[in-house]
Amino acid sequence: MLTHVWGLLAHPNREWKQIHDERETIIHLYSHHVLVMALIPVVCAFIGTTQVGWDFGGGHTIQLNYLDAFFAGVAFYVAILLAVGFMGSVIHWMAQRYSSPPSRRRCIIFAGYVATPMFVGGVVALYPLVWLCMLATIIGLCYSAYLLYLGIPNFLDIGAEEGFIVTGSTLGIGVLVLEALLAVTVLLWGYGAKLLGIDL
């Protein structure tokens, strides 16, 4: 699992070809990659929210107790896992226009690995400054877009020119999903405290 993480960050072209040849299953992807990597932003947000607190600027900080942060973390974790499967299904749906479209299995596996930079970027939630988390999100999104562009011909076997359309469409929908996750994050880890009536 860690080999693929490093490979996708350091030499993605070669790593996509290696992942392509492995023919793994969705169960293997989730058990060896997504379930573990999705813990990075969740655990880091748990630590940051309970020990430091979300800093929204102006000297206003929101800090959750352990129990509330735990339930927020569980909801956030489930949302991430569902988002990976949803994006894989979106890629599969858009690829149906081609003569030899990839299977849903391959598309979900593809989406799980494309999300790797976003998972790794979750480390910044250890010190949850809103601007810092947004910067990490933008950087992670840009690198995920790069992985998406490289992976379509190398993993999904769709030509580079045709893949450019899939890349653009997937990226557009992915940004919407990401924005939804960010909204959930703010609600759960930040303003969720107010919504739950927690005394700050």
Side-chain angles (χ1 to χ4, degrees):
M1 184 271 292
L2 292 178
T3 303
H4 285 326
V5 172
W6 171 249
L8 287 169
L9 298 177
H11 43 80
N13 256 324
R14 189 167 75 214
E15 200 65 27
W16 274 130
K17 291 173 183 174
Q18 181 179 336
I19 296 170
H20 177 279
D21 294 338
E22 288 177 357
R23 307 286 181 185
E24 71 177 315
T25 63
I26 294 174
I27 292 174
H28 185 272
L29 167 78
Y30 269 83
S31 62
H32 289 83
H33 186 79
V34 176
L35 290 174
V36 177
M37 295 300 294
L39 283 174
I40 294 174
V42 173
V43 171
C44 290
F46 177 86
I47 294 170
T49 303
T50 57
Q51 302 304 310
V52 180
W54 276 101
D55 187 347
F56 290 94
H60 181 62
T61 302
I62 295 177
Q63 189 170 350
L64 296 183
N65 63 46
Y66 290 110
L67 185 60
D68 294 314
F70 172 78
F71 286 121
V74 170
F76 185 41
Y77 188 62
V78 171
I80 292 172
L81 300 182
L82 293 175
V84 169
F86 174 75
M87 286 309 302
S89 297
V90 166
I91 295 168
H92 178 256
W93 173 68
M94 287 190 297
Q96 294 307 301
R97 60 182 293 178
Y98 303 112
S99 55
S100 300
S103 65
R104 184 181 299 274
R105 173 189 66 84
R106 290 179 64 76
C107 292
I108 292 175
I109 290 169
F110 181 59
Y113 284 117
V114 164
T116 299
M118 303 296 293
F119 294 146
V120 174
V123 169
V124 300
L126 283 169
Y127 193 72
L129 291 171
V130 172
W131 69 266
L132 181 62
C133 291
M134 289 301 295
L135 178 63
T137 300
I138 291 168
I139 293 170
L141 181 63
C142 289
Y143 201 83
S144 287
Y146 178 62
L147 288 182
L148 184 68
Y149 177 72
L150 292 180
I152 283 176
N154 287 320
F155 183 77
L156 295 183
D157 299 321
I158 296 174
E161 291 184 6
E162 295 177 320
F164 187 76
I165 298 171
V166 178
T167 300
S169 303
T170 302
L171 190 58
I173 295 172
V175 167
L176 294 176
V177 171
L178 178 62
E179 287 176 356
L181 279 175
L182 289 175
V184 169
T185 301
V186 171
L187 286 173
L188 292 176
W189 296 105
Y191 292 111
K194 289 184 176 179
L195 294 174
L196 293 171
I198 299 168
D199 185 16
L200 298 173

